[in-house]
Every structure is written in C-alpha cells, then in structure tokens.
Coordinates of all heavy atoms in Angstrom, one line a residue:
M92 N -51.2 20.5 -4.6 CA -49.7 20.6 -4.4 C -49.1 19.2 -4.7 O -49.6 18.2 -4.3 CB -49.4 20.9 -2.9 CG -47.9 21.1 -2.6 SD -47.6 21.6 -1.0 CE -45.9 21.3 -0.9
T93 N -48.1 19.3 -5.5 CA -47.5 18.0 -5.9 C -46.6 17.6 -4.7 O -46.2 18.3 -3.8 CB -46.6 18.2 -7.1 OG1 -45.7 19.2 -6.9 CG2 -47.5 18.5 -8.3
R94 N -46.2 16.3 -4.8 CA -45.3 15.8 -3.8 C -43.9 16.5 -3.8 O -43.5 16.8 -4.9 CB -45.1 14.3 -4.0 CG -46.3 13.5 -3.6 CD -46.0 12.0 -3.6 NE -45.5 11.6 -4.9 CZ -45.0 10.4 -5.1 NH1 -44.8 9.6 -4.2 NH2 -44.5 10.0 -6.3
P95 N -43.4 16.7 -2.7 CA -42.0 17.3 -2.7 C -41.0 16.3 -3.4 O -41.2 15.1 -3.4 CB -41.7 17.5 -1.3 CG -42.5 16.5 -0.5 CD -43.8 16.4 -1.4
R96 N -40.1 16.9 -4.0 CA -39.0 16.0 -4.7 C -38.3 15.2 -3.6 O -38.0 15.7 -2.6 CB -38.0 16.9 -5.4 CG -38.6 17.5 -6.7 CD -37.5 18.0 -7.5 NE -38.0 18.5 -8.8 CZ -37.2 18.7 -9.9 NH1 -35.9 18.6 -9.7 NH2 -37.7 19.1 -11.0
E97 N -38.1 14.0 -4.0 CA -37.3 13.2 -3.1 C -35.8 13.3 -3.6 O -35.5 14.3 -4.3 CB -37.8 11.7 -3.2 CG -39.2 11.7 -2.5 CD -39.8 10.3 -2.6 OE1 -39.2 9.4 -3.2 OE2 -40.9 10.2 -2.1
D98 N -35.0 12.4 -3.2 CA -33.6 12.6 -3.5 C -33.3 12.4 -5.0 O -33.4 11.4 -5.6 CB -32.8 11.5 -2.7 CG -31.3 11.7 -2.9 OD1 -30.9 12.7 -3.5 OD2 -30.6 10.8 -2.5
L99 N -33.1 13.6 -5.6 CA -32.8 13.5 -7.1 C -31.3 13.8 -7.3 O -30.9 14.4 -8.3 CB -33.7 14.5 -7.8 CG -35.2 14.2 -7.7 CD1 -35.9 15.3 -8.4 CD2 -35.5 12.9 -8.4
A100 N -30.5 13.5 -6.4 CA -29.1 13.8 -6.5 C -28.5 13.2 -7.7 O -27.5 13.8 -8.3 CB -28.3 13.3 -5.2
A101 N -29.0 12.1 -8.2 CA -28.4 11.4 -9.3 C -29.0 11.9 -10.6 O -28.7 11.4 -11.7 CB -28.6 9.9 -9.2
A102 N -29.9 12.9 -10.6 CA -30.6 13.3 -11.7 C -29.6 14.0 -12.7 O -28.7 14.7 -12.4 CB -31.7 14.3 -11.4
T103 N -29.8 13.7 -14.0 CA -29.0 14.2 -15.0 C -29.9 15.3 -15.8 O -30.6 16.0 -15.2 CB -28.5 13.2 -16.0 OG1 -29.5 12.4 -16.5 CG2 -27.5 12.2 -15.2
D104 N -29.8 15.2 -17.1 CA -30.7 16.2 -17.8 C -32.1 15.7 -17.8 O -33.0 16.5 -18.1 CB -30.2 16.3 -19.3 CG -30.1 14.9 -19.9 OD1 -29.8 13.9 -19.2 OD2 -30.2 14.9 -21.1
S105 N -32.3 14.4 -17.5 CA -33.7 13.9 -17.3 C -34.1 14.1 -15.9 O -33.3 14.1 -15.0 CB -33.8 12.5 -17.7 OG -35.0 11.9 -17.3
S106 N -35.4 14.3 -15.7 CA -35.9 14.6 -14.3 C -36.1 13.2 -13.6 O -36.3 13.2 -12.4 CB -37.2 15.3 -14.4 OG -38.2 14.5 -15.1
A107 N -36.1 12.2 -14.3 CA -36.3 10.9 -13.7 C -35.0 10.2 -13.2 O -34.0 10.4 -13.8 CB -37.0 9.9 -14.7
V108 N -35.1 9.6 -12.1 CA -34.0 8.8 -11.6 C -34.0 7.4 -12.2 O -35.0 6.8 -12.1 CB -34.0 8.7 -10.0 CG1 -32.9 7.9 -9.5 CG2 -34.0 10.2 -9.4
L109 N -32.9 7.1 -12.8 CA -32.9 5.8 -13.4 C -32.2 4.6 -12.6 O -32.3 3.5 -13.0 CB -32.2 5.9 -14.8 CG -32.9 6.9 -15.7 CD1 -32.2 6.9 -17.1 CD2 -34.4 6.6 -15.9
D110 N -31.5 5.0 -11.6 CA -30.8 4.1 -10.8 C -31.7 3.6 -9.7 O -32.2 4.4 -8.9 CB -29.5 4.6 -10.2 CG -28.5 4.9 -11.3 OD1 -28.6 4.3 -12.4 OD2 -27.5 5.7 -11.1
S111 N -31.8 2.3 -9.6 CA -32.6 1.8 -8.5 C -32.0 0.6 -7.9 O -31.5 -0.3 -8.6 CB -34.0 1.4 -9.0 OG -34.9 1.0 -8.0
V112 N -31.9 0.6 -6.6 CA -31.3 -0.6 -5.9 C -32.4 -1.6 -5.6 O -33.3 -1.3 -4.8 CB -30.6 -0.2 -4.6 CG1 -30.0 -1.4 -3.9 CG2 -29.5 0.8 -4.9
V113 N -32.3 -2.7 -6.3 CA -33.3 -3.8 -6.1 C -32.9 -4.7 -4.9 O -31.8 -5.2 -4.8 CB -33.5 -4.6 -7.4 CG1 -34.5 -5.8 -7.1 CG2 -33.9 -3.7 -8.5
T114 N -33.9 -4.9 -4.0 CA -33.6 -5.8 -2.9 C -34.4 -7.1 -3.0 O -35.6 -7.0 -3.1 CB -33.9 -5.1 -1.5 OG1 -33.2 -3.9 -1.4 CG2 -33.6 -6.0 -0.4
C115 N -33.8 -8.2 -3.1 CA -34.4 -9.4 -3.2 C -35.2 -9.8 -1.9 O -34.5 -9.9 -0.9 CB -33.5 -10.5 -3.6 SG -34.2 -12.2 -3.6
P116 N -36.5 -10.1 -2.0 CA -37.2 -10.4 -0.8 C -36.9 -11.9 -0.3 O -37.2 -12.2 0.9 CB -38.7 -10.4 -1.2 CG -38.6 -10.6 -2.7 CD -37.3 -10.1 -3.2
A117 N -36.3 -12.6 -1.1 CA -36.0 -14.0 -0.7 C -34.7 -14.2 0.0 O -34.6 -14.8 1.0 CB -36.0 -14.9 -2.0
C118 N -33.7 -13.4 -0.4 CA -32.3 -13.6 0.2 C -31.7 -12.3 0.7 O -30.7 -12.3 1.3 CB -31.4 -14.3 -0.8 SG -30.9 -13.3 -2.2
G119 N -32.4 -11.2 0.4 CA -31.9 -9.9 0.8 C -30.7 -9.3 0.0 O -30.2 -8.3 0.3
F120 N -30.4 -10.0 -1.1 CA -29.4 -9.5 -2.0 C -29.8 -8.2 -2.6 O -30.9 -8.0 -3.0 CB -29.1 -10.5 -3.1 CG -28.0 -10.2 -4.0 CD1 -26.7 -10.7 -3.6 CD2 -28.1 -9.5 -5.1 CE1 -25.6 -10.4 -4.4 CE2 -27.0 -9.2 -5.9 CZ -25.7 -9.7 -5.6
T121 N -28.9 -7.2 -2.7 CA -29.2 -5.9 -3.3 C -28.3 -5.7 -4.5 O -27.1 -6.1 -4.5 CB -29.0 -4.8 -2.3 OG1 -27.7 -4.8 -1.8 CG2 -30.0 -5.0 -1.1
K122 N -28.8 -5.1 -5.5 CA -28.0 -4.8 -6.7 C -28.5 -3.5 -7.3 O -29.8 -3.3 -7.4 CB -28.2 -6.0 -7.7 CG -27.2 -5.9 -8.9 CD -27.2 -7.2 -9.6 CE -26.1 -7.2 -10.7 NZ -26.4 -6.3 -11.8
L123 N -27.6 -2.7 -7.7 CA -28.0 -1.5 -8.4 C -28.3 -1.8 -9.9 O -27.5 -2.3 -10.6 CB -26.8 -0.5 -8.3 CG -27.1 0.9 -9.0 CD1 -28.2 1.6 -8.4 CD2 -25.8 1.7 -9.0
E124 N -29.5 -1.4 -10.3 CA -29.9 -1.6 -11.6 C -30.3 -0.3 -12.3 O -30.8 0.6 -11.6 CB -31.1 -2.6 -11.7 CG -30.8 -4.0 -11.2 CD -30.0 -4.8 -12.1 OE1 -29.8 -4.4 -13.3 OE2 -29.5 -5.8 -11.7
V125 N -30.0 -0.2 -13.6 CA -30.5 1.0 -14.3 C -31.8 0.7 -15.0 O -31.9 -0.3 -15.8 CB -29.4 1.4 -15.3 CG1 -29.9 2.6 -16.1 CG2 -28.1 1.7 -14.6
M126 N -32.8 1.5 -14.7 CA -34.1 1.2 -15.3 C -34.3 1.7 -16.7 O -33.8 2.8 -17.0 CB -35.2 1.8 -14.4 CG -35.2 1.3 -13.0 SD -36.5 2.0 -12.0 CE -35.7 3.6 -11.6
P127 N -35.0 1.0 -17.5 CA -35.4 1.5 -18.8 C -36.4 2.7 -18.6 O -37.2 2.7 -17.7 CB -36.0 0.3 -19.5 CG -36.5 -0.5 -18.4 CD -35.6 -0.3 -17.2
T128 N -36.3 3.7 -19.5 CA -37.1 4.8 -19.3 C -38.5 4.7 -20.0 O -39.4 5.4 -19.7 CB -36.5 6.1 -19.9 OG1 -36.2 5.8 -21.3 CG2 -35.2 6.4 -19.2
D129 N -38.6 3.7 -20.9 CA -39.8 3.6 -21.8 C -40.5 2.3 -21.6 O -41.4 2.0 -22.4 CB -39.4 3.9 -23.2 CG -38.3 2.8 -23.7 OD1 -37.8 2.1 -22.8 OD2 -38.1 2.7 -24.9
A130 N -40.1 1.5 -20.7 CA -40.8 0.2 -20.4 C -40.7 -0.2 -19.0 O -39.8 0.3 -18.3 CB -40.1 -0.8 -21.4
C131 N -41.5 -1.1 -18.6 CA -41.5 -1.6 -17.3 C -40.9 -3.0 -17.3 O -41.1 -3.7 -18.2 CB -42.8 -1.6 -16.6 SG -43.3 0.1 -16.1
Q132 N -40.2 -3.3 -16.2 CA -39.6 -4.6 -16.1 C -40.5 -5.5 -15.2 O -40.6 -5.2 -14.0 CB -38.2 -4.5 -15.6 CG -37.5 -5.8 -15.7 CD -36.0 -5.7 -15.5 OE1 -35.4 -4.6 -15.6 NE2 -35.3 -6.8 -15.2
F133 N -41.1 -6.5 -15.8 CA -42.0 -7.3 -15.0 C -41.3 -8.4 -14.3 O -41.6 -8.8 -13.2 CB -43.1 -7.9 -15.9 CG -44.3 -8.3 -15.2 CD1 -45.2 -7.4 -14.7 CD2 -44.5 -9.7 -15.0 CE1 -46.3 -7.9 -14.0 CE2 -45.6 -10.1 -14.3 CZ -46.5 -9.2 -13.8
F134 N -40.2 -9.0 -14.9 CA -39.5 -10.1 -14.3 C -38.1 -9.6 -14.0 O -37.5 -8.8 -14.8 CB -39.5 -11.3 -15.2 CG -40.8 -11.9 -15.5 CD1 -41.4 -11.7 -16.7 CD2 -41.4 -12.6 -14.5 CE1 -42.7 -12.3 -17.0 CE2 -42.7 -13.2 -14.8 CZ -43.3 -13.0 -16.0
Y135 N -37.6 -10.1 -12.9 CA -36.2 -9.8 -12.5 C -35.6 -10.9 -11.8 O -36.2 -11.4 -10.8 CB -36.2 -8.5 -11.6 CG -34.9 -8.2 -11.1 CD1 -34.0 -7.4 -11.9 CD2 -34.4 -8.6 -9.8 CE1 -32.7 -7.1 -11.4 CE2 -33.1 -8.3 -9.4 CZ -32.3 -7.6 -10.2 OH -31.0 -7.3 -9.7
E136 N -34.5 -11.4 -12.3 CA -33.9 -12.6 -11.7 C -32.8 -12.1 -10.7 O -31.9 -11.4 -11.1 CB -33.3 -13.5 -12.7 CG -32.7 -14.7 -12.1 CD -32.0 -15.7 -13.1 OE1 -32.7 -16.3 -13.8 OE2 -30.8 -15.6 -13.2
C137 N -33.0 -12.5 -9.5 CA -32.0 -12.1 -8.4 C -30.7 -12.7 -8.7 O -30.5 -13.9 -9.0 CB -32.5 -12.6 -7.1 SG -31.3 -12.4 -5.8
T138 N -29.7 -11.8 -8.7 CA -28.3 -12.3 -8.9 C -27.8 -13.3 -7.8 O -27.0 -14.1 -8.0 CB -27.3 -11.1 -9.0 OG1 -27.9 -10.2 -9.9 CG2 -25.9 -11.6 -9.4
G139 N -28.4 -13.0 -6.6 CA -27.9 -13.8 -5.5 C -28.5 -15.2 -5.4 O -27.7 -16.2 -5.3
C140 N -29.8 -15.4 -5.6 CA -30.4 -16.7 -5.4 C -31.1 -17.2 -6.6 O -31.7 -18.3 -6.6 CB -31.3 -16.7 -4.2 SG -32.8 -15.6 -4.4
K141 N -31.1 -16.4 -7.7 CA -31.8 -16.8 -8.9 C -33.3 -16.9 -8.9 O -33.9 -17.4 -9.7 CB -31.2 -18.1 -9.5 CG -29.7 -18.2 -9.7 CD -29.2 -17.1 -10.6 CE -27.7 -17.1 -10.8 NZ -27.2 -16.0 -11.6
T142 N -33.8 -16.4 -7.8 CA -35.3 -16.3 -7.7 C -35.8 -15.3 -8.7 O -35.2 -14.2 -8.8 CB -35.7 -15.9 -6.3 OG1 -35.4 -16.9 -5.4 CG2 -37.2 -15.7 -6.3
V143 N -36.8 -15.6 -9.5 CA -37.4 -14.6 -10.4 C -38.5 -13.8 -9.7 O -39.5 -14.4 -9.3 CB -38.0 -15.4 -11.6 CG1 -38.6 -14.3 -12.6 CG2 -36.9 -16.1 -12.4
L144 N -38.2 -12.6 -9.5 CA -39.1 -11.7 -8.8 C -40.2 -11.2 -9.8 O -39.9 -10.9 -11.0 CB -38.4 -10.5 -8.2 CG -37.2 -10.8 -7.4 CD1 -36.6 -9.5 -6.8 CD2 -37.6 -11.7 -6.2
R145 N -41.4 -11.0 -9.3 CA -42.4 -10.4 -10.0 C -43.0 -9.3 -9.2 O -42.9 -9.3 -8.0 CB -43.5 -11.4 -10.3 CG -43.3 -12.3 -11.5 CD -44.3 -13.3 -11.7 NE -44.1 -14.3 -10.7 CZ -43.8 -15.6 -10.9 NH1 -43.9 -16.0 -12.1 NH2 -43.6 -16.5 -9.9
P146 N -43.6 -8.3 -9.8 CA -44.2 -7.2 -9.0 C -45.2 -7.7 -8.0 O -45.9 -8.6 -8.3 CB -44.8 -6.3 -10.1 CG -44.2 -6.6 -11.3 CD -43.8 -8.1 -11.2
K147 N -45.3 -7.0 -6.9 CA -46.4 -7.2 -5.9 C -47.7 -6.8 -6.5 O -47.7 -6.0 -7.4 CB -46.1 -6.4 -4.6 CG -44.9 -6.9 -3.9 CD -44.6 -5.9 -2.7 CE -43.3 -6.3 -2.1 NZ -42.9 -5.2 -1.0
R148 N -48.7 -7.3 -6.0 CA -50.1 -6.9 -6.4 C -50.2 -5.4 -6.4 O -50.0 -4.8 -5.4 CB -51.1 -7.6 -5.5 CG -52.5 -7.5 -6.0 CD -53.4 -8.3 -5.1 NE -54.8 -8.2 -5.5 CZ -55.3 -9.1 -6.4 NH1 -54.6 -10.0 -6.9 NH2 -56.6 -9.0 -6.8
G149 N -50.7 -4.8 -7.5 CA -50.9 -3.4 -7.5 C -49.7 -2.6 -8.0 O -49.8 -1.4 -8.3
D150 N -48.5 -3.2 -8.1 CA -47.4 -2.5 -8.6 C -47.2 -2.9 -10.1 O -47.5 -4.0 -10.5 CB -46.1 -2.9 -7.8 CG -46.1 -2.3 -6.5 OD1 -46.8 -1.2 -6.3 OD2 -45.4 -2.8 -5.6
C151 N -46.6 -2.0 -10.8 CA -46.5 -2.2 -12.2 C -45.2 -2.9 -12.6 O -45.1 -3.5 -13.7 CB -46.6 -0.9 -13.0 SG -45.3 0.3 -12.7
C152 N -44.2 -2.8 -11.8 CA -42.9 -3.5 -12.2 C -42.1 -3.8 -10.9 O -42.4 -3.4 -9.8 CB -42.2 -2.5 -13.1 SG -41.5 -1.1 -12.3
V153 N -41.1 -4.5 -11.2 CA -40.3 -5.0 -10.0 C -39.6 -3.8 -9.3 O -39.3 -3.9 -8.1 CB -39.2 -6.0 -10.5 CG1 -39.9 -7.3 -10.9 CG2 -38.3 -5.5 -11.6
F154 N -39.4 -2.7 -10.0 CA -38.7 -1.6 -9.4 C -39.7 -0.9 -8.4 O -39.2 -0.4 -7.3 CB -38.2 -0.6 -10.4 CG -37.1 -1.2 -11.2 CD1 -37.3 -1.5 -12.6 CD2 -35.9 -1.5 -10.7 CE1 -36.3 -2.0 -13.4 CE2 -34.9 -2.1 -11.5 CZ -35.1 -2.3 -12.8
C155 N -40.9 -0.9 -8.7 CA -41.9 -0.3 -7.8 C -42.1 -1.2 -6.6 O -42.3 -0.7 -5.5 CB -43.3 -0.2 -8.5 SG -43.3 1.1 -9.8
S156 N -41.9 -2.5 -6.7 CA -42.1 -3.4 -5.6 C -40.8 -3.6 -4.8 O -40.8 -3.6 -3.5 CB -42.5 -4.8 -6.1 OG -43.8 -4.7 -6.6
Y157 N -39.7 -3.7 -5.4 CA -38.5 -4.1 -4.7 C -37.3 -3.1 -4.9 O -36.3 -3.2 -4.2 CB -38.0 -5.4 -5.2 CG -39.1 -6.5 -5.2 CD1 -39.7 -7.0 -6.3 CD2 -39.5 -6.9 -3.9 CE1 -40.7 -7.9 -6.2 CE2 -40.5 -7.9 -3.8 CZ -41.1 -8.4 -5.0 OH -42.1 -9.3 -4.9
G158 N -37.5 -2.1 -5.7 CA -36.4 -1.1 -5.9 C -36.4 0.0 -4.9 O -37.5 0.3 -4.2
S159 N -35.3 0.7 -4.8 CA -35.2 1.8 -3.9 C -35.9 3.1 -4.5 O -36.3 4.0 -3.9 CB -33.8 2.2 -3.6 OG -33.1 2.5 -4.8
V160 N -36.1 3.0 -5.8 CA -36.7 4.1 -6.6 C -37.7 3.5 -7.5 O -37.5 2.4 -8.2 CB -35.6 4.8 -7.4 CG1 -36.3 6.0 -8.2 CG2 -34.5 5.4 -6.6
V161 N -38.9 4.0 -7.6 CA -39.9 3.5 -8.5 C -39.5 3.8 -9.9 O -38.7 4.6 -10.2 CB -41.3 4.1 -8.2 CG1 -41.7 3.7 -6.7 CG2 -41.4 5.6 -8.3
C162 N -40.2 3.2 -10.8 CA -39.9 3.3 -12.2 C -40.2 4.7 -12.8 O -41.0 5.4 -12.2 CB -40.6 2.2 -13.1 SG -42.4 2.4 -13.1
P163 N -39.4 5.1 -13.8 CA -39.5 6.5 -14.4 C -41.0 6.9 -14.7 O -41.4 8.0 -14.3 CB -38.7 6.4 -15.6 CG -37.6 5.4 -15.3 CD -38.4 4.3 -14.5
P164 N -41.8 6.1 -15.3 CA -43.2 6.5 -15.5 C -43.9 6.9 -14.2 O -44.7 7.8 -14.2 CB -43.9 5.3 -16.2 CG -42.7 4.6 -16.9 CD -41.6 4.8 -15.9
M165 N -43.7 6.2 -13.2 CA -44.4 6.5 -11.9 C -43.8 7.7 -11.3 O -44.4 8.5 -10.6 CB -44.2 5.3 -11.0 CG -45.0 4.0 -11.5 SD -46.7 4.3 -11.8 CE -47.3 4.4 -10.1
Q166 N -42.5 7.9 -11.5 CA -41.9 9.1 -10.9 C -42.5 10.4 -11.5 O -42.7 11.4 -10.9 CB -40.3 9.1 -11.2 CG -39.6 8.1 -10.4 CD -38.1 8.1 -10.8 OE1 -37.5 9.2 -11.0 NE2 -37.5 7.0 -11.0
E167 N -42.8 10.2 -12.8 CA -43.4 11.4 -13.5 C -44.9 11.4 -13.3 O -45.5 12.3 -13.9 CB -43.0 11.3 -14.9 CG -41.5 11.5 -15.1 CD -41.0 11.3 -16.6 OE1 -41.9 11.3 -17.4 OE2 -39.8 11.2 -16.8
Q168 N -45.4 10.5 -12.6 CA -46.8 10.4 -12.3 C -47.7 10.4 -13.6 O -48.8 10.9 -13.6 CB -47.2 11.6 -11.4 CG -46.5 11.5 -10.1 CD -47.0 12.6 -9.1 OE1 -47.5 13.6 -9.5 NE2 -46.7 12.4 -7.8
R169 N -47.1 9.8 -14.6 CA -48.0 9.8 -15.8 C -48.4 8.3 -16.0 O -49.0 8.0 -17.1 CB -47.2 10.2 -17.1 CG -45.9 9.5 -17.3 CD -45.1 10.1 -18.5 NE -43.8 9.7 -18.6 CZ -43.3 8.6 -19.2 NH1 -44.1 7.8 -19.8 NH2 -42.0 8.4 -19.2
G170 N -48.3 7.5 -15.0 CA -48.8 6.2 -15.0 C -47.8 5.3 -15.9 O -47.0 5.8 -16.6
C171 N -48.2 4.1 -15.9 CA -47.3 3.1 -16.6 C -48.1 2.6 -17.7 O -49.2 2.1 -17.6 CB -47.0 2.0 -15.6 SG -46.0 0.8 -16.3
G172 N -47.4 2.5 -18.9 CA -48.0 2.0 -20.1 C -48.4 0.6 -20.1 O -49.0 0.1 -21.0
C173 N -47.8 -0.1 -19.2 CA -47.9 -1.6 -19.2 C -49.2 -2.1 -18.5 O -49.4 -3.2 -18.4 CB -46.7 -2.3 -18.6 SG -46.4 -1.9 -16.9
R174 N -49.9 -1.2 -17.9 CA -51.1 -1.6 -17.2 C -52.4 -1.4 -18.0 O -52.5 -0.4 -18.7 CB -51.2 -0.9 -15.8 CG -50.1 -1.1 -14.9 CD -50.3 -0.5 -13.6 NE -51.4 -1.2 -12.9 CZ -51.8 -1.0 -11.7 NH1 -51.3 0.1 -11.0 NH2 -52.8 -1.6 -11.1
Ligands
ZN853 ZN1 -32.4 -13.4 -4.0

C-alpha cells in the first residue's frame, strides 16, 4: 500500500506539489519557494540572514531538509537523480 496522499490542494495538472515553504534553521525565516521539477537544489541562501543552507545528511536537497514539502522526485518516489 502506498502512502496516503498528503495535502495536494495546490496540485495542478501535475501530481507533484511545487510550492515549498523553506524554513531557515539559523534564523527561522520562512519563504515560499517554487521547486524545479527536474533538478534538486543543493544550496539555498536564506533571504533573512544570508546563511547558505545545505541539505542535511541523507537528504537530497534543501527542500527535503528545510522545506514544508519534499522535492518533486521524492514526492513521486522515483528517487532523486542527483544522488
Ligand atoms: Zn536565515
């Protein structure tokens, strides 16, 4: 059995959710970012404090580590091409 769908209210014609709210671990700043569908973002500069975030160990991108929604490849459970 696959995992139940989470909140896909923002879904359009694609099944993947592309909006992710990134929360900076250094200052707590949050920002809504639109994720690329075909690539992972490894570096992300916080708008609030300019800290450059990197994924946590075991995560493929900053959205998986700090975003409210994991990246599209992970949503579709097809893995991430960057690993
Ligand atoms: Zn920050």
Side-chain angles (χ1 to χ4, degrees):
M92 181 176 170
T93 57
R94 288 190 301 171
R96 286 194 174 195
E97 294 176 357
D98 185 11
L99 295 178
T103 55
D104 53 333
S105 169
S106 61
V108 178
L109 301 182
D110 292 339
S111 187
V112 177
V113 177
T114 302
C115 173
C118 72
F120 188 89
T121 59
K122 190 167 189 289
L123 177 64
E124 297 288 347
V125 178
M126 296 182 283
T128 57
D129 57 349
C131 281
Q132 187 165 342
F133 198 79
F134 295 106
Y135 176 83
E136 185 182 283
C137 170
T138 307
C140 66
K141 304 301 181 186
T142 295
V143 177
L144 307 182
R145 276 173 288 238
K147 295 173 186 172
R148 189 177 183 85
D150 285 338
C151 65
C152 72
V153 291
F154 295 111
C155 291
S156 291
Y157 306 109
S159 61
V160 181
V161 299
C162 67
M165 295 303 286
Q166 289 178 42
E167 297 174 11
Q168 300 184 339
R169 57 184 163 89
C171 178
C173 65
R174 296 189 69 179

